[in-house]
Amino acid sequence: MSKRAHQTVRRTDALSKARIVEAAIEILDTRGEAALTFRALATQLATGSGAIYWHIADRNDLLAAAAGDVLARALAKVAKEEEPRAAIRAIALAVFDAIDAHPWAGAHLSREPWHSAVGEIFERIGGWLQPLGVPVDAQFDCASALTNYILGVAGQNAANARTLPGGTDRKAWLEAVATRWIQDVPEARPFLRRVAAQMREHDDRQQFVAGVDFILEGACVKRNA
Amino acid sequence: MSKRAHQTVRRTDALSKARIVEAAIEILDTRGEAALTFRALATQLATGSGAIYWHIADRNDLLAAAAGDVLARALAKVAKEEEPRAAIRAIALAVFDAIDAHPWAGAHLSREPWHSAVGEIFERIGGWLQPLGVPVDAQFDCASALTNYILGVAGQNAANARTLPGGTDRKAWLEAVATRWIQDVPEARPFLRRVAAQMREHDDRQQFVAGVDFILEGACVKRNA
DNA sequence: GCAGGGATTGGAACGACGTTCCAGATATGA
DNA sequence: TCATATCTGGAACGTCGTTCCAATCCCTGC
């Protein structure tokens, strides 16, 4: 009860982990991961770094809390689905969209895959594998594959946001990457050459779902083994 | 020709990008990514940081070169295969093993997915999709899915190496993660509870191949769409 | 009410890092 | 042999995460 007393008595502008995380998310979203320094955070909260450290262990703790916040909100909004495949797609896309909107969160999750948000994703997806018809002994591998795939795309998206911030022409950038990849090697790279056009034009979100579908399809088929 | 002259005339202990990268890899492998500082590198090479900067743009350039080196060596040793599925598995496992041995390289690739080594992986895998029977319009998505999956696992492995260095008991650690994931949430997490035992016992490498197989299987089946 | 003491705050200070700068050494072409 | 471009070593700069501590706040027991 002394705990509750604190929370009500403190004046409204008192620091708290929640308020610090909120401020951190604002900095991360508007100015990127590199801009989240304890000095910037202290300025934004009109306090000193020591006060922040009273509520938060270190920078990693702060990033983890911010990423957890963003992902929990995204996962809470996933629409209820009846059909297993649609349900898994919805969960995966919720994560994709959250990380697309907050790339720093993607970077953190692929750096810290034991974050509780990853456990949540794992559970939510895993629960649909039985109704989907994935054999029992393939369910763990399937959920892991999906999680790893999602984290891989998360890292990729974070990297994209880092290298082409805001205004840059995405199509031109992809074109440049494709030609660099092709020219890197003296012998032509026939496959890259063949798909370069698709690489320039492709939609990340749509391609992401295609990957999810591949894994689900493969796990369903794997009745043998 | 003045270029060639330099290389032959300089005394054998002269600095060069190759020698710097070699020293960096040694530090990364023995002491981890955090230990690779320009001061440590300068000490190891018995020189100053300014001399290193003459050959290398910045820390990121150095990490990219080191990761490229390690992956190029791994990819060069992949055994020739006749059967498409075996060939793709061999490529994927070569990457997995390289990153298992050099986790810092995995961390770098998932942070910089446009690294030329990723292009190489993409090309090597993509070239086998036609013989494997993946429909033409699914090949780009399939190669992307595999690449993203591999990078996701790479990041995961890097994180593992960071959080459980050397002696730690892997089984106990996984157990701890599983129970934390389960207890995080008041409502039980039935799926996690069901697979917790597998999580404790599973073999990362074997599970990695299972994921690759899922994607390949799914891409082959996707004759519709 | 009031003194005591834990909870909380703000900002100075520390050590380490990536990077820059520059004076000197070295090797080559004229 | 000398002028010049290349290369070297280490000092110095600014910034970061983190620690430390004196000052302040607010609850508790008298």
Side-chain angles (χ1 to χ4, degrees):
Chain A
M1 55 177 72
S2 74
K3 263 289 178 63
R4 195 150 61 89
H6 288 310
Q7 288 171 7
T8 51
V9 167
R10 276 281 176 202
R11 42 182 218 271
T12 50
D13 73 329
L15 279 181
S16 68
K17 183 151 182 174
R19 240 168 62 78
I20 294 172
V21 168
E22 185 191 2
I25 291 177
E26 185 173 336
I27 293 178
L28 288 163
D29 280 345
T30 56
R31 288 185 278 158
E33 178 167 352
L36 181 68
T37 68
F38 277 80
R39 281 161 238 269
L41 195 54
T43 304
Q44 171 127 347
L45 290 165
T47 179
S49 43
I52 297 173
Y53 271 96
W54 180 261
H55 298 273
I56 263 163
D58 52 22
R59 189 174 193 270
N60 204 56
D61 181 29
L62 179 57
L63 275 169
D69 224 59
V70 159
L71 262 101
R73 262 203 295 275
L75 285 171
K77 278 191 296 198
V78 178
K80 302 274 173 245
E81 297 278 351
E82 295 292 334
E83 201 271 321
R85 199 172 296 254
I88 293 175
R89 273 207 201 112
I91 297 163
L93 279 175
V95 176
F96 180 92
D97 291 337
I99 284 169
D100 194 50
H102 313 279
W104 49 268
H108 184 77
L109 290 190
S110 59
R111 217 181 307 131
E112 297 255 298
W114 304 117
H115 192 290
S116 72
V118 178
E120 175 75 11
I121 298 169
F122 193 85
E123 171 71 30
R124 297 272 286 260
I125 288 178
W128 284 104
L129 297 182
Q130 180 74 33
L132 181 63
V134 175
V136 175
D137 35 337
Q139 290 180 15
F140 177 58
D141 285 349
C142 180
S144 293
L146 281 167
T147 307
N148 278 322
Y149 173 69
I150 290 172
L151 290 184
V153 175
Q156 177 115 340
N157 273 14
N160 286 353
R162 218 178 305 123
T163 42
L164 45 136
T168 353
D169 180 2
R170 176 189 147 92
K171 194 179 286 189
W173 160 256
L174 287 175
E175 177 98 42
V177 171
T179 53
R180 191 172 357 122
W181 274 5
I182 289 173
Q183 292 169 349
D184 256 349
V185 162
E187 323 89 61
R189 288 178 151 166
F191 180 71
L192 269 167
R193 216 177 277 276
R194 190 147 57 78
V195 299
Q198 290 177 67
M199 180 155 165
R200 191 171 55 241
E201 305 284 352
H202 86 281
D203 177 329
D204 276 345
R205 195 170 188 271
Q206 191 176 311
Q207 188 173 66
F208 170 72
V209 185
V212 171
D213 285 346
F214 286 155
I215 296 174
L216 291 179
E217 196 69 43
C220 286
V221 169
K222 265 278 152 61
R223 301 205 166 278
N224 43 349
Chain B
M1 58 176 74
S2 73
K3 265 287 179 66
R4 194 151 63 89
H6 288 310
Q7 288 172 4
T8 52
V9 167
R10 276 281 173 202
R11 41 185 219 267
T12 50
D13 72 328
L15 279 180
S16 68
K17 182 152 182 174
R19 240 168 63 79
I20 294 172
V21 168
E22 184 191 1
I25 291 177
E26 185 173 335
I27 293 178
L28 289 163
D29 281 344
T30 56
R31 287 184 279 159
E33 177 166 354
L36 180 69
T37 68
F38 277 81
R39 282 162 237 268
L41 195 54
T43 304
Q44 171 126 347
L45 290 165
T47 179
S49 42
I52 296 173
Y53 272 96
W54 180 263
H55 298 274
I56 263 166
D58 52 22
R59 189 174 194 269
N60 202 56
D61 181 28
L62 179 56
L63 274 169
D69 223 58
V70 159
L71 263 102
R73 262 202 295 274
L75 286 170
K77 277 191 295 197
V78 178
K80 300 279 174 241
E81 297 278 350
E82 295 292 334
E83 201 270 319
R85 200 171 296 252
I88 293 174
R89 272 206 202 113
I91 297 164
L93 278 175
V95 175
F96 181 92
D97 290 337
I99 285 170
D100 194 49
H102 313 279
W104 49 268
H108 183 77
L109 289 190
S110 60
R111 216 180 308 129
E112 297 254 298
W114 304 118
H115 192 290
S116 72
V118 178
E120 175 75 10
I121 296 169
F122 193 85
E123 170 71 30
R124 296 272 285 261
I125 288 178
W128 284 105
L129 297 182
Q130 180 73 34
L132 181 63
V134 174
V136 176
D137 34 337
Q139 290 180 14
F140 177 57
D141 285 348
C142 178
S144 294
L146 281 168
T147 307
N148 278 322
Y149 173 68
I150 290 171
L151 290 183
V153 175
Q156 177 115 341
N157 273 13
N160 287 353
R162 217 178 306 123
T163 42
L164 47 136
T168 353
D169 180 2
R170 176 189 147 91
K171 193 179 287 189
W173 159 255
L174 287 175
E175 177 97 42
V177 171
T179 53
R180 193 174 352 125
W181 274 5
I182 289 174
Q183 292 169 348
D184 257 349
V185 162
E187 323 90 58
R189 287 178 152 166
F191 180 71
L192 269 167
R193 217 177 276 276
R194 188 146 58 78
V195 299
Q198 291 177 66
M199 180 156 166
R200 190 172 55 241
E201 305 285 352
H202 85 281
D203 178 328
D204 277 345
R205 194 169 188 271
Q206 190 177 310
Q207 188 174 64
F208 170 72
V209 185
V212 171
D213 285 345
F214 287 155
I215 296 174
L216 291 179
E217 196 69 43
C220 285
V221 169
K222 265 281 152 59
R223 300 206 167 278
N224 43 349

